[in-house]
Amino acid sequence: MPDSDHAIAATFAPHDHQQCAHRALDEAAARLTEQGARLTPVRRRTLEILLESHRAMGAYEVLDRLAAEGFGRQPPVAYRALEFLVTHGLAHRLQRLNAFAACLHPGHDHHPAFLICRSCDKVAEAAAAPIRDALTAVAAQGGFRVERATIEALGLCATCAAEGVA
Amino acid sequence: MPDSDHAIAATFAPHDHQQCAHRALDEAAARLTEQGARLTPVRRRTLEILLESHRAMGAYEVLDRLAAEGFGRQPPVAYRALEFLVTHGLAHRLQRLNAFAACLHPGHDHHPAFLICRSCDKVAEAAAAPIRDALTAVAAQGGFRVERATIEALGLCATCAAEGVA
DNA sequence: GCGATGGCGTTACTTTATTACATTCAGGTT
DNA sequence: AACCTGAATGTAATAAAGTAACGCCATCGC
């Protein structure tokens, strides 16, 4: 991810989340104008909601929030906004959870591996390149060409482990 | 995987499927008696249905088949049988597809990586060890302990590629 | 201003999955 | 054989996740 090993720990450890979320939102806005895509109110708000925590949220959880704030209350409202964000690399979909999480490093590796803590539920993005390389190599031996990889790990983060969670 | 690089290609290439399915069923039965678990009619039939192809099947697709053969026609019938098979390592769940596939190598690596061909829809199991190692290493740098990994690749198999599928 | 496009909202529906509870069946005990 | 017990099976009902189809309105290029 952006710089180093710190990215993972930074997600799980306590940190200035206001700033963390704000930075991601700014980067997102920058990337979109660059691409000529529009960050409309629903989309912006959806991203903000995802950015409030490092957890993954279900589409209906997001929808409830949007509806409470005066946006539409039908599923497509949430799904469309989420799909937009995913398409533009501003959010990720977690297959294991049927849920979505804001991307914290837009513009870097757009198909990271995900580390999901089973205790605090937070989700971190990890550099997928070495993992994908291993996968690609194994597949190639069988003549299979990998186009998209889903890599999601469930486990325990350092912060929860330090707090004594088994 | 059982032996080698051949396992992947063998899944996608034409082969004696009767024998392939039969062998998997035998191995499954053997493993279950060993574990003291019961391969009841619904469970056995569910496994056979999955083994008929190398595709992943949705729970409702399996359910339709079971219902047509005189078993119950309510979702729990299929979900319970499938869950049993997954628990005992005789089938796998594919997160990306919300579907299930028979395990072709029961007793070997119970958490393989999956290679899903987007053209023929078949699913092969690949050795996950090297991939999981890479994932574990990346995660460990961030203090994260991986407990379970989901590794699923979408792409094109050798057979489809040879047939000119782009 | 005017049409084309994209975004948003709605209704309606499909697909996937679970909860809760009644019934049946295999196995061991008396 | 009668009896108990726990696992397995079946049902109805419902929840959760996701999609299709359509109309309205705003924005943008002309």
Side-chain angles (χ1 to χ4, degrees), chain A residues 78-123:
Chain A
Y79 281 103
R80 279 195 291 239
L82 290 166
E83 189 190 8
F84 172 88
L85 296 175
V86 169
T87 299
H88 290 80
L90 306 179
H92 300 289
R93 177 178 204 134
L94 289 139
Q95 307 283 350
R96 272 195 93 99
L97 307 178
N98 285 10
F100 302 81
C103 177
L104 297 178
H105 316 292
H108 291 269
D109 183 344
H110 269 175
H111 293 288
F114 298 101
L115 308 178
I116 307 163
C117 179
R118 65 167 158 78
S119 172
C120 66
D121 277 342
K122 288 182 183 171
V123 177

Side-chain angles (χ1 to χ4, degrees), chain A residues 38 40 42-43 71-77 80:
Chain A
R38 293 167 53 197
T40 61
V42 215
R43 293 171 177 174
F71 294 99
R73 48 184 59 259
Q74 302 306 320
V77 171
R80 279 195 291 239

Side-chain angles (χ1 to χ4, degrees), chain B residues 46-84:
Chain B
T46 301
L47 182 53
E48 287 172 356
I49 289 168
L50 290 183
L51 280 169
E52 282 176 13
S53 75
H54 287 289
R55 288 187 311 110
M57 296 178 77
Y60 281 76
E61 200 179 344
V62 171
L63 179 59
D64 284 347
R65 294 283 310 271
L66 292 173
E69 298 178 18
F71 295 100
R73 49 184 61 260
Q74 303 302 324
V77 170
Y79 281 103
R80 279 194 293 237
L82 290 166
E83 187 190 9
F84 172 87

Side-chain angles (χ1 to χ4, degrees), chain A residues 5-60:
Chain A
D5 328 335
H6 297 331
I8 297 170
T11 297
F12 294 114
H15 59 278
D16 181 343
H17 189 63
Q18 287 292 323
Q19 184 200 319
C20 155
H22 201 104
R23 191 186 50 81
L25 190 60
D26 285 349
E27 284 189 36
R31 281 187 65 74
L32 285 183
T33 43
E34 193 178 293
Q35 292 175 34
R38 293 167 53 197
L39 188 58
T40 61
V42 215
R43 293 171 177 174
R44 180 184 189 95
R45 196 63 198 113
T46 300
L47 181 53
E48 287 172 356
I49 289 169
L50 290 182
L51 280 169
E52 282 175 13
S53 74
H54 287 287
R55 288 187 312 110
M57 297 179 76
Y60 282 75

